[in-house]
């Protein structure tokens, strides 16, 4: 059974989006991409310095991977800054896809909800396909949909913390109230089991970076996350049992043992 992920009209067989920062070397990054089975990778323009050709090796590895590139506006703190960086990314990488980040707080890298909506609206009017990194706030997500976003990327926890799904109530509410738009958990995951839980809740994909890049063995961790995401998706489709307050025997105890009526 095919179970593709569709974003802005394009289909992908993988539901794992992988970041390309923080790896010890371009080779390790490439090996991690291969093991992740990802078809979309993110890249920040701020990591590149075209004038000095600093990012050539990383960029070449990404091109060779065959993955779709999703540039991001990581580190931007204003609408103007994010829009400008998005336009530069479109020109440099020849793609109108953009992972939009407008950071509102340096302590926990929480998105600025007002700036995020304004920047998303501006970029969509300019023809961008915007994938906004946002919090798990229902009203914020609705506003992002109102201005034309076709994908939402709520956080599991603050970027780089590895704390997993901090607010399960909000995330469940978000998924229950917005059922017809792809939602990808972006940021905060530290373990494959956390990715499985998110997928079991009905989210459509996982985007992460640090948990793989900072693992002792990034390629192996990338493979572990890929397997975990697949397992969570299958469990979501299969349907989890309802939790109960009391015990219920898994083996019926009414009647006689099956050997009771056997002739002696």
């Amino acid at each position: 059974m095919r179970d593709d992920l569709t974003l802005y009209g394009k289909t992908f067989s993988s539901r794992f989006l992988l970041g390309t920062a923080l790896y010890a070397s371009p080779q390790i990054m490439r090996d991690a991409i291969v093991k992740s089975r990802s078809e979309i990778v993110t890249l920040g323009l701020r990591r590149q310095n075209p004038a000095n050709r600093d990012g050539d090796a990383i960029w070449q590895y990404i091109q060779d991977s065959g993955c779709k590139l999703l540039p991001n506006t990581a580190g931007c703190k204003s609408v103007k800054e994010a829009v400008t960086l998005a336009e530069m990314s479109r020109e440099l990488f020849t793609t109108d896809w953009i992972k939009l980040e407008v950071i509102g707080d340096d302590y926990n890298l929480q998105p600025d909800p007002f700036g995020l909506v304004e920047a998303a609206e501006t970029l969509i009017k300019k023809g961008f396909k915007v994938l906004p990194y946002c919090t798990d706030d229902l009203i914020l997500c609705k506003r992002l949909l109102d201005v034309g976003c076709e994908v939402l990327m709520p956080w599991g926890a603050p970027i780089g913390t590895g704390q997993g799904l901090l607010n399960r109530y909000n995330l469940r509410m978000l998924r229950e109230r917005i059922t017809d738009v792809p939602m990808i958990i972006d940021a905060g995951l530290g373990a494959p089991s956390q990715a499985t839980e998110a997928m079991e809740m009905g989210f459509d994909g996982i985007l992460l970076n640090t948990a793989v890049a900072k693992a002792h063995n990034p390629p192996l961790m990338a493979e572990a996350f890929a397997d975990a995401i697949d397992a969570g998706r299958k469990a979501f489709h299969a349907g989890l049992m309802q939790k109960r307050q009391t015990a219920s025997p898994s083996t019926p105890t009414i009647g006689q043992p099956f050997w009771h009526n056997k002739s002696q």
Side-chain angles (χ1 to χ4, degrees):
M1 180 185 77
R2 289 191 65 88
D3 183 29
D4 292 333
L5 172 65
T6 301
L7 305 174
Y8 284 106
K10 291 188 176 296
T11 58
F12 304 91
S13 60
S14 171
R15 294 174 177 273
F16 187 8
L17 291 72
L18 188 62
T20 57
L22 305 175
Y23 291 92
S25 72
Q27 181 63 51
I28 293 175
M29 179 198 72
R30 187 180 70 168
D31 293 345
I33 292 174
V34 171
K35 290 295 186 181
S36 73
R37 308 192 290 275
S38 296
E39 295 173 299
I40 303 175
V41 296
T42 66
L43 177 68
L45 180 60
R46 289 187 168 190
R47 292 183 58 208
Q48 311 299 310
N49 186 343
N52 294 330
R53 305 180 67 83
D54 287 347
D56 278 1
I58 293 174
W59 177 228
Q60 188 61 52
Y61 277 123
I62 291 174
Q63 286 184 307
D64 292 345
S65 74
C67 293
K68 180 169 184 56
L69 177 65
L70 177 60
N72 66 59
T73 62
C76 290
K77 298 179 180 177
S78 70
V79 174
K80 182 179 180 181
E81 195 177 8
V83 171
T84 299
L85 196 62
E87 290 178 322
M88 293 172 63
S89 294
R90 178 161 64 179
E91 183 173 345
L92 181 63
F93 299 124
T94 62
T95 177
D96 54 7
W97 286 43
I98 191 76
K99 179 192 170 187
L100 179 61
E101 294 186 24
V102 181
I103 300 301
D105 184 84
D106 285 334
Y107 180 74
N108 65 356
L109 300 179
Q110 181 168 338
D112 172 356
F114 309 102
L116 185 65
V117 173
E118 183 180 346
E121 184 173 20
T122 301
L123 290 170
I124 288 170
K125 287 179 179 177
K126 291 176 178 285
F128 282 90
K129 295 176 174 59
V130 177
L131 292 86
Y133 161 65
C134 56
T135 62
D136 49 27
D137 184 274
L138 174 63
I139 305 306
L140 168 61
C141 288
K142 286 186 173 181
R143 295 292 178 269
L144 289 167
L145 298 179
D146 289 343
V147 299
C149 292
E150 297 182 16
V151 181
L152 297 172
M153 300 209 299
W155 67 359
I159 294 172
T161 61
Q163 297 193 47
L165 308 177
L166 279 185
N167 195 328
R168 290 173 175 77
Y169 173 82
N170 272 14
L171 290 171
R172 289 187 189 282
M173 180 63 66
L174 198 58
R175 184 71 281 184
E176 290 173 6
R177 295 294 302 279
I178 301 175
T179 59
D180 57 347
V181 173
M183 280 197 281
I184 297 167
I185 294 294
D186 178 8
L189 302 190
S193 57
Q194 297 161 353
T196 300
E197 182 180 5
M199 298 302 291
E200 289 172 349
M201 292 167 66
F203 286 93
D204 297 280
I206 302 293
L207 193 161
L208 58 82
N209 189 155
T210 307
V212 169
K214 291 300 183 183
H216 295 305
N217 186 333
L220 186 58
M221 185 60 80
E223 186 175 25
F225 266 102
D227 292 344
I229 292 166
D230 288 346
R233 183 66 179 178
K234 289 177 182 176
F236 170 70
H237 280 307
L240 300 178
M241 64 169 285
Q242 295 293 319
K243 292 183 179 179
R244 298 168 55 93
Q245 293 296 322
T246 57
S248 175
S250 57
T251 301
T253 55
I254 299 175
Q256 299 296 325
F258 66 87
W259 63 83
H260 180 75
N261 293 325
K262 282 187 176 181
S263 57
Q264 299 297 317

